[in-house]
Amino acid sequence: SVQELDGFVEVRPLDGGNELRIPIEQVRVLPGSERLVTRRLLGPLAAGDHLALVVLNYGDPDVDVAGETVFTLDEALPDPRAGAPSPERSPDTEGNEDTP
């Protein structure tokens, strides 16, 4: 039967700065199949080393699946809400950006 997948991605600077949390909207997954779920990482996020933690849930409120990786940003990601207003974007396609 079809499973409902949702979760989130947390990005944390290794130096202890502020973290970003990006929701993963619910999608359907067939057991034994693979499903690529992407999210765009938007700032603000400082340059340097970061930990990305992905937590997924397949419909069981007591069981999550998690994985993590360390990555390096050579340049800081600015806050997209700073400066000129940006066009409205859906969180389904743009990750963690808020609707203006």
Side-chain angles (χ1 to χ4, degrees), residues 1-6 26-35 57-60 65:
S1 71
V2 174
Q3 296 175 311
E4 302 290 333
L5 166 73
D6 63 6
Q26 191 174 68
V27 295
R28 293 179 177 220
V29 180
L30 292 172
S33 67
E34 293 182 14
R35 176 83 186 247
N57 183 278
Y58 288 89
D60 183 336
V65 178

Side-chain angles (χ1 to χ4, degrees), residues 28-77:
R28 293 179 177 220
V29 180
L30 292 172
S33 67
E34 293 182 14
R35 176 83 186 247
L36 178 64
V37 178
T38 61
R39 291 292 171 259
R40 180 176 292 178
L41 178 61
L42 302 174
L45 197 60
D49 295 327
H50 301 271
L51 174 76
L53 170 68
V54 179
V55 178
L56 302 175
N57 183 278
Y58 288 89
D60 183 336
D62 297 323
V63 179
D64 288 331
V65 178
E68 63 184 26
T69 190
V70 173
F71 66 96
T72 301
L73 282 178
D74 293 328
E75 296 181 19
L77 296 178

